[in-house]
């Protein structure tokens, strides 16, 4: 019997502890924590009057504070105010959604009104993104470590504002490159195709001044240097089309004379797909930090024209094409090396963005 009497006492103690914790959070003006802690219980049917009062007061005070702060920030007219404005709109919407599941009578008692903030949030997000992108670009233009670290802070804000912003991957690469003095350039082939021996050195053969000047880039490891990051190109797929020969035959007549004209077209293409990956070389784990897909294509196309019949029957346009001749189709190896040069240019362009 003593144990049975103990159970209600324990429950009462737990309830008192919960109330005290909620009260302390409220008195400390931790209004969002009050809502996060108590709102789910009210949605689940716990109609504790004190809890409802704490949530109601927290909801209105937090929203009022955000509203006043938003108005003050807008009044400054400063573009750097928009990231905070957007985050405060997000907080207001989050609170509104947290209380949406409350019983109707509870909502009425606490003067809950659904907030329509979508248009304001979209406008604020667009302005916040514009400011953050411009600020990051400005900082990264110097290429210094100090500005790279500062840009990384704004990059974190940009990710919170819109994690799908298309600039984020490029900014990640650029901020990574700012942090290290030396960058290791790597290459790998995980495709099923056995690439020519010269493919790798062609991919990594950068001209002087082609890469950013704020880092030392090395294709072979120098034991005297500390490499914070490695940028590697990984070939994942190789497609080589068969030689395609197209022909179109037609007749031309001139002054009773006739000629049969055939336009020929030789076509072949080589496509190499993969990823440019930035790894943290100094991390304890070989962890991928950034990756962007690539696709480079080497194409061969040669058009020429042949005739059967009287040359005098040819039109001026046909005559102009008769000087073209069929040429040997490039080998797979030569076209792959051409694709390697294009990949080399693409890597340099990616690093310089």
């Amino acid at each position: 019997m003593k144990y049975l009497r103990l159970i209600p006492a324990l429950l009462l103690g737990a309830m008192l502890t919960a109330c005290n914790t909620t009260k302390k959070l409220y008195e400390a003006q931790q209004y969002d924590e009050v809502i996060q802690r108590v709102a789910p219980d009210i949605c689940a049917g716990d109609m504790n009057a004190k809890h409802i009062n704490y949530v109601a007061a927290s909801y209105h005070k937090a929203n009022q504070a955000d509203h006043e702060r938003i108005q003050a920030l807008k009044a400054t007219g400063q573009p750097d105010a928009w990231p905070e404005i957007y985050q405060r709109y997000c907080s207001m919407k989050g609170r509104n959604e947290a209380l949406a599941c409350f019983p109707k009578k509870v909502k009425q008692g606490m003067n809950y009104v659904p907030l329509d903030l979508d248009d304001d949030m979209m406008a604020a997000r667009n302005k916040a993104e514009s400011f953050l992108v411009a600020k990051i670009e400005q900082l990264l233009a110097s290429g210094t470590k100090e500005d790279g670290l500062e840009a990384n802070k704004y990059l974190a804000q940009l990710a919170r504002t819109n994690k799908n912003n298309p600039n984020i991957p490029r900014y990640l690469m650029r901020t990574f490159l700012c942090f290290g003095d030396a960058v290791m350039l790597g290459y790998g082939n995980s495709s099923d195709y056995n690439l020519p021996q010269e493919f790798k050195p062609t991919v990594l053969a950068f001209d002087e001044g082609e890469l950013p000047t704020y880092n030392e880039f090395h294709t072979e490891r120098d034991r005297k240097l500390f490499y914070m990051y490695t940028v590697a190109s990984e070939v994942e797929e190789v497609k080589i089309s068969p030689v395609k020969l197209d022909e179109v035959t037609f007749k031309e007549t001139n002054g009773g004379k006739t000629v049969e004209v055939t336009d020929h077209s030789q076509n072949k293409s080589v496509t190499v797909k993969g990823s440019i990956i930035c790894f943290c070389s100094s991390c304890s784990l070989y962890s991928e930090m950034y990756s962007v897909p690539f696709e480079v294509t080497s194409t061969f196309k040669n058009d020429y024209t042949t005739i059967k019949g009287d040359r005098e029957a040819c039109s001026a346009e046909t005559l102009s094409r008769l000087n073209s001749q069929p040429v040997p189709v490039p080998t797979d190896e030569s076209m792959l090396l051409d694709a390697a040069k294009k990949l080399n240019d693409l890597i340099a362009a990616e690093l310089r963005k």
Side-chain angles (χ1 to χ4, degrees):
M1 292 295 291
K2 285 194 297 183
Y3 293 112
L4 292 177
R5 288 195 296 270
L6 183 60
I7 291 174
L10 290 173
L11 291 174
L12 178 61
M15 291 173 62
L16 290 173
T17 300
C19 286
N20 287 336
T21 302
T22 302
K23 180 182 179 182
K24 289 179 180 178
L25 288 172
Y26 177 78
E27 290 174 346
Q29 299 183 12
Q30 301 296 316
Y31 300 132
D32 283 326
E33 291 191 37
V34 171
I35 294 171
Q36 292 171 13
R37 181 183 181 87
V38 181
D41 293 336
I42 298 174
C43 290
D46 183 355
M47 295 295 107
N48 184 298
K50 288 185 177 180
H51 283 177
I52 293 174
N53 289 336
Y54 280 131
V55 169
S58 295
Y59 175 77
H60 290 298
K61 287 189 175 184
N63 278 352
Q64 182 63 29
D66 280 342
H67 175 73
E68 292 176 358
R69 178 62 176 164
I70 287 171
Q71 297 309 310
L73 288 169
K74 286 183 176 180
T76 67
Q78 297 300 313
D80 60 355
W82 287 106
E84 183 180 347
I85 291 172
Y86 174 68
Q87 293 302 326
R88 287 185 178 269
Y89 274 132
C90 289
S91 297
M92 293 176 70
K93 183 176 182 179
R95 294 184 203 108
N96 201 246
E97 291 177 347
L99 274 60
C101 58
F102 281 17
K104 185 176 181 180
K105 288 185 177 180
V106 174
K107 290 180 182 178
Q108 291 174 343
M110 61 183 292
N111 296 321
Y112 170 88
V113 178
L115 300 178
D116 185 7
L117 299 172
D118 289 346
D119 289 343
D120 290 330
M121 288 181 64
M122 181 60 69
R125 193 184 82 169
N126 290 340
K127 292 179 180 179
E129 285 189 79
S130 296
F131 163 73
L132 292 168
V133 166
K135 188 66 177 179
I136 294 169
E137 288 281 4
Q138 178 188 14
L139 289 167
L140 290 179
S142 72
T144 65
K145 290 183 182 179
E146 293 76 15
D147 284 345
L149 289 168
E150 189 69 14
N152 205 41
K153 296 177 184 178
Y154 286 101
L155 181 56
Q157 290 187 50
L158 180 60
R160 287 197 302 271
T161 302
N162 180 12
K163 65 180 180 180
N164 296 318
N165 184 287
N167 294 294
I168 291 176
R170 179 165 59 91
Y171 291 153
L172 278 172
M173 171 71 84
R174 291 178 65 184
T175 55
F176 291 158
L177 294 178
C178 286
F179 299 153
D181 294 322
V183 179
M184 186 73 177
L185 293 171
Y187 163 83
N189 177 21
S190 57
S191 72
D192 296 330
Y193 194 90
N194 187 20
L195 291 166
Q197 186 175 358
E198 289 301 310
F199 191 91
K200 175 181 176 180
T202 303
V203 169
L204 299 178
F206 296 96
D207 296 330
E208 184 177 354
E210 190 176 8
L211 297 177
T213 57
Y214 47 83
N215 291 109
E216 292 184 26
F217 291 86
H218 302 269
T219 56
E220 300 294 338
R221 181 170 292 277
D222 184 342
R223 297 296 175 183
K224 298 177 182 179
L225 294 173
F226 172 70
Y227 300 95
M228 182 171 284
Y229 293 101
T230 297
V231 177
S233 54
E234 180 73 21
V235 175
E236 298 163 357
E237 183 181 0
V238 177
K239 287 185 177 180
I240 300 178
S241 73
V243 180
K244 186 178 180 182
L245 300 175
D246 294 323
E247 295 181 348
V248 177
T249 300
F250 55 94
K251 289 185 178 180
E252 291 184 344
T253 58
N254 184 15
K257 298 177 181 179
T258 303
V259 66
E260 185 179 85
V261 181
T262 301
D263 286 335
H264 307 266
S265 182
Q266 301 170 286
N267 297 278
K268 181 181 178 180
S269 66
V270 169
T271 300
V272 179
K273 297 181 180 180
S275 299
I276 299 173
I277 309 166
C278 182
F279 292 98
C280 178
S281 308
S282 61
C283 298
S284 57
L285 295 176
Y286 190 59
S287 56
E288 182 178 323
M289 304 293 288
Y290 162 84
S291 176
V292 60
F294 72 77
E295 179 177 328
V296 290
T297 301
S298 175
T299 58
F300 166 77
K301 181 176 173 60
N302 180 57
D303 298 327
Y304 63 97
T305 300
T306 58
I307 59 173
K308 290 182 180 180
D310 198 325
R311 184 185 179 94
E312 294 183 1
C314 293
S315 65
E317 182 180 354
T318 297
L319 288 172
S320 67
R321 298 198 303 269
L322 290 179
N323 292 329
S324 57
Q325 298 293 329
V327 298
V329 178
T331 63
D332 293 352
E333 180 174 351
S334 65
M335 294 189 71
L336 282 166
L337 293 181
D338 179 62
K341 293 176 183 177
K342 293 182 176 181
L343 177 54
N344 172 276
D345 293 337
L346 190 151
I347 294 170
E350 187 67 30
L351 293 175
R352 294 183 65 88
K353 280 183 179 179

